[in-house]
Amino acid sequence: MAIHASELNTAAVEVDGISKRFGEAGRPNRLMPWRKLKKPKLALEQVSLHVETGRITGILGANGSGKSTLIRILATLLTPDQGTASVFGYDVVSQPDDVRRHINRVSVEASFFKEMSPWENMLYAARLYGSGGEGTRDRVEAMLERLGLPLDTLDKPMKQLSRGQQQKVAIARSFLTSPSLLLMDEPTTGLDPRSKREVQELVRSIRRDRAATVLLCTHDLQEAEVLCDRVVVIDQGRVLAEGTPAELIRAHAGKTDGSLEDAFMQLTGKRLEEDEEEKEE
Amino acid sequence: MTGNMLRWELNAFVGFIERQKNLYRRYWAWEGVWLLYNLVSVLSIGYLAAGLSTLGLEQGQANLHQTQLYLLVGALLWTYLSLVFFEIAFAITWERWEGTIEYTFMAPIKRLTHLLGVSAASLLYGIARTAIIGVGVVLLFRIDLSHANWLTALAIFAAATLPLLGLGIFTSILPLLSPEKGEQMAFAVQGVLLLISGVYYPISVLPGPLHLAGILSPLTYTLDGVREALLHGLSLAGALPDVAILLVMGIVLVPASVWCFGRAEERAKRLGLLKRSG
Ligand SMILES: Nc1ncnc2c1ncn2[C@@H]1O[C@H](COP(=O)(O)OP(=O)(O)OP(=O)(O)O)[C@@H](O)[C@H]1O
Ligand SMILES: [Mg+2]
């Protein structure tokens, strides 16, 4: 759904002091008191974030650092323990319906009805977002063609597609609903180099054409470097640094011709050399 | 609700029915197996009745025929009720298996639309499948429905829809509460309903607490009413109490179940139970 002019001036995403723990602490199970208390897992701690409309913002962090948790909170799929988060001014907890109208999400795993065909899955998605009538098929075909998916796969069961092909359908699904905020959780993981480029080009084009805002979690630091206007590095649920890729490189790479990868390694405290030394021992 | 919003929700409602239709079509081999399973279950109940005379239960032919009719109508109705119940109760479990649950929950639609869409598809599906089995029964057994009051049967059948949806939605909450054990619980609920609702016997034969549970089960009134209508021509006026009870139960159960679903969804979002990986 297109954003209103009034929404153009508000931040796309405003996260303020969000914390999230999994596994409730200190609450013994009243029905089964013999059960051991699990230690709560801190996934996010006091995370604040401000994303301007029309920007591509990268979220970088090691496995388990809380990236997907943050994305899920913004997608109204998880409720934060503390803090507030809003999307185009709508609170994710108290106004989930308004938030949902403006967002879509791609996750690492494709998440489809596996016996149904890509087309049937896309049609279902379109219906949930207020379309699905005439012209939907054409739009789906155009989108998939652009991503380089052979059109003869469109009516085969999803399970017959390769992982990368399924991922392309997932990406197409998220673009189909024209979200103003696109939450992409490792969208290009498992794609071949050419397809990766296609996806990156598509992401650029929706920002250009529709002023869409993109939040992109990725482990591909080169992708982040070429695609993102800003980058946020998180580690163990905390924001370590944020800025443009160039700023982060300048401040943290430790050398003049450094890359985002150098900066990331520095920031997360694991220098490549150290890792390698350990291996040699 | 404005017209636009209504159209939006209606579009999604159609989407759920369309999705279920596509799923049934794609899982046609399973559908075939389940249909056969349902058919032979009903038939075996029919033959059980036919065999009663050889088990030393000498009775008049007329009586035996009545018993067979009693059991067959029970078996057929139970097929329908348990089918619809299961389809709704497994709506969430199913999406969990497929891994689509987060996408459906993230969609900009009312949860009521989601639940009613799945329910409507389940009802159509249940009716279609039960009709096929019904034809099989009519072909294989000599069924005398000359006394039947079809209008009454239809009225009770229709009134039973609401409480049936309520029960299904209540049960579909279980996998939201416990991802691991919720789906097994649905089978347990179905088993209890079979026991207490007088599918193959009047609930008066049940001991105290079970009898009481039977009185509270909406399926009891459905089975009882439809049976009376088909076997003894119960008039529409005579069926009013049953219809009223079913409607009242439905008017309580449906909103209550949707409300509880909402609470369970909130809890799942707090504890991170919807999905973990990714
Ligand atoms: N639903 C959940 N229930 C319990 N713990 C969870 C849940 N989701 C995430 N966690 C835990 O929270 C932490 C952060 O997980 P998260 O999925 O956000 O990491 P991530 O940065 O996306 O990692 P990756 O790069 O591997 O995708 C992890 O320790 C994880 O085990
Ligand atoms: Mg993740």
Side-chain angles (χ1 to χ4, degrees):
Chain A
M1 185 178 275
I3 45 178
H4 300 293
S6 63
E7 287 162 355
L8 259 177
N9 300 322
T10 53
V13 176
E14 193 72 73
V15 174
D16 193 13
I18 287 258
S19 296
K20 182 75 198 165
R21 271 178 192 75
F22 290 106
E24 279 178 302
R27 274 244 316 250
N29 192 325
R30 258 175 296 154
L31 291 176
M32 292 172 277
W34 58 89
R35 277 210 182 165
K36 267 204 207 134
L37 287 181
K38 271 185 248 156
K39 238 184 111 193
K41 168 81 212 169
L42 189 66
L44 289 177
E45 193 176 9
Q46 291 292 329
V47 169
S48 296
L49 203 65
H50 173 94
V51 176
E52 260 164 62
T53 303
R55 297 286 171 81
I56 301 176
T57 303
I59 301 177
L60 309 182
N63 293 132
S65 54
K67 303 181 296 296
S68 300
T69 304
L70 180 60
I71 294 278
R72 282 201 172 92
I73 287 174
L74 294 175
T76 72
L77 294 168
L78 273 178
T79 317
D81 298 340
Q82 276 164 31
T84 57
S86 61
V87 172
F88 299 115
Y90 300 112
D91 188 82
V92 294
V93 178
S94 60
Q95 301 167 292
D97 290 348
D98 295 301
V99 172
R100 287 170 186 170
R101 254 187 276 281
H102 291 87
I103 62 168
N104 210 329
R105 162 174 170 258
V106 202
S107 51
V108 205
E109 72 281 272
S111 314
F112 286 109
F113 289 90
K114 291 179 254 327
E115 289 289 334
M116 284 186 355
S117 68
W119 161 242
E120 287 159 354
N121 274 292
M122 294 290 254
L123 181 61
Y124 168 56
R127 288 268 188 225
L128 298 189
Y129 286 81
S131 61
E134 264 174 70
T136 307
R137 175 95 188 183
D138 290 341
R139 281 199 296 143
V140 168
E141 284 187 5
M143 186 70 77
L144 288 174
E145 203 156 22
R146 178 142 186 212
L147 285 167
L149 194 82
L151 281 187
D152 61 343
T153 53
L154 201 55
D155 294 304
K156 285 185 191 160
M158 206 73 209
K159 61 175 184 186
Q160 290 180 15
L161 272 60
S162 76
R163 211 195 88 75
Q165 287 175 329
Q166 291 186 18
Q167 189 63 18
K168 285 182 185 175
V169 183
I171 291 167
R173 172 174 63 185
S174 71
F175 282 85
L176 186 73
T177 64
S178 309
S180 303
L181 172 66
L182 188 53
L183 303 166
M184 308 188 89
D185 197 346
E186 301 180 42
T188 57
T189 301
L191 294 189
D192 63 59
R194 181 176 302 279
S195 307
K196 246 182 210 193
R197 285 261 182 95
E198 297 288 354
V199 173
Q200 292 166 2
E201 201 32 60
L202 210 60
V203 170
R204 277 199 200 94
S205 77
I206 61 157
R207 176 188 46 178
R208 198 174 48 230
D209 303 344
R210 302 196 284 103
T213 311
V214 180
L215 222 56
L216 171 77
C217 295
T218 182
H219 292 299
D220 184 337
L221 297 178
Q222 212 205 326
E223 176 172 278
E225 201 171 332
V226 298
L227 203 57
C228 297
D229 304 310
R230 286 182 79 75
V231 169
V232 180
V233 180
I234 65 174
D235 194 44
Q236 296 182 37
R238 268 178 283 249
V239 175
L240 285 187
E242 65 175 301
T244 64
E247 280 168 6
L248 288 186
I249 292 169
R250 213 178 308 129
H252 302 284
K255 45 188 171 189
T256 44
D257 59 342
S259 64
L260 196 55
E261 189 163 321
D262 297 322
F264 180 81
M265 294 299 167
Q266 279 281 359
L267 274 166
T268 53
K270 286 182 204 136
R271 260 179 247 120
L272 267 181
E273 301 92 87
E274 276 179 14
D275 287 356
E276 250 137 51
E277 272 167 27
E278 272 169 33
K279 259 184 233 153
E280 277 164 19
E281 277 167 18
Chain B
M1 205 188 263
T2 66
N4 263 342
M5 275 166 79
L6 197 63
R7 217 169 305 128
W8 182 284
E9 300 294 330
L10 217 57
N11 190 45
F13 177 82
V14 171
F16 282 104
I17 297 178
E18 211 169 46
R19 179 194 90 185
Q20 291 306 98
K21 184 199 78 186
N22 285 330
L23 279 172
Y24 296 138
R25 209 159 47 86
R26 294 283 179 175
Y27 281 96
W28 62 268
W30 277 114
E31 293 307 320
V33 170
W34 289 127
L35 185 63
L36 188 70
Y37 176 82
N38 282 156
L39 182 64
V40 296
S41 305
V42 173
L43 294 187
S44 62
I45 298 290
Y47 290 117
L48 168 104
L52 283 178
S53 63
T54 66
L55 294 174
L57 296 172
E58 282 304 335
Q59 284 176 336
Q61 268 304 63
N63 252 334
L64 197 62
H65 191 79
Q66 278 294 309
T67 308
Q68 186 176 44
L69 218 52
Y70 182 95
L71 290 176
L72 272 176
V73 171
L76 212 55
L77 267 178
W78 175 245
T79 303
Y80 168 76
L81 296 171
S82 61
L83 209 67
V84 175
F85 169 78
F86 251 125
E87 284 299 303
I88 303 173
F90 268 64
I92 299 305
T93 303
W94 186 271
E95 295 227 30
R96 213 188 263 288
W97 284 336
E98 297 275 19
T100 52
I101 185 163
E102 287 193 323
Y103 285 84
T104 302
F105 274 58
M106 199 176 68
I109 54 161
K110 297 259 175 286
R111 191 62 56 227
L112 185 66
T113 307
H114 173 195
L115 294 172
L116 290 183
V118 171
S119 298
S122 308
L123 285 171
L124 293 173
Y125 171 74
I127 290 171
R129 256 179 60 175
T130 310
I132 296 176
I133 297 168
V135 169
V137 167
V138 170
L139 289 178
L140 282 166
F141 297 101
R142 217 168 41 78
I143 302 270
D144 174 19
L145 288 175
S146 51
H147 305 294
N149 185 335
W150 289 98
L151 194 66
T152 307
L154 199 70
I156 294 173
F157 192 78
T161 302
L162 280 183
L164 183 59
L165 298 193
L167 286 180
I169 294 173
F170 259 120
T171 312
S172 74
I173 294 173
L174 297 172
L176 268 185
L177 296 178
S178 162
E180 292 88 16
K181 297 172 202 83
E183 47 187 276
Q184 289 90 322
M185 290 291 290
F187 283 97
V189 174
Q190 190 216 28
V192 171
L193 285 175
L194 172 64
L195 180 70
I196 64 168
S197 305
V199 175
Y200 299 120
Y201 40 77
I203 60 167
S204 55
V205 304
L206 292 170
L210 287 181
H211 188 179
L212 187 68
I215 291 174
L216 294 176
S217 164
L219 304 194
T220 303
Y221 302 92
T222 314
L223 283 147
D224 201 48
V226 173
R227 220 178 230 142
E228 279 299 308
L230 290 184
L231 270 55
H232 305 122
L234 177 67
S235 70
L236 200 54
L240 274 184
D242 277 347
V243 170
I245 290 174
L246 285 170
L247 286 180
V248 169
M249 283 180 160
I251 288 167
V252 173
L253 277 177
V254 171
S257 63
V258 172
W259 186 83
C260 287
F261 194 102
R263 298 292 80 75
E265 184 179 340
E266 273 173 20
R267 178 178 177 274
K269 279 162 55 172
R270 203 154 28 81
L271 301 183
L273 299 179
L274 280 185
K275 194 158 183 249
R276 185 186 171 138
S277 63

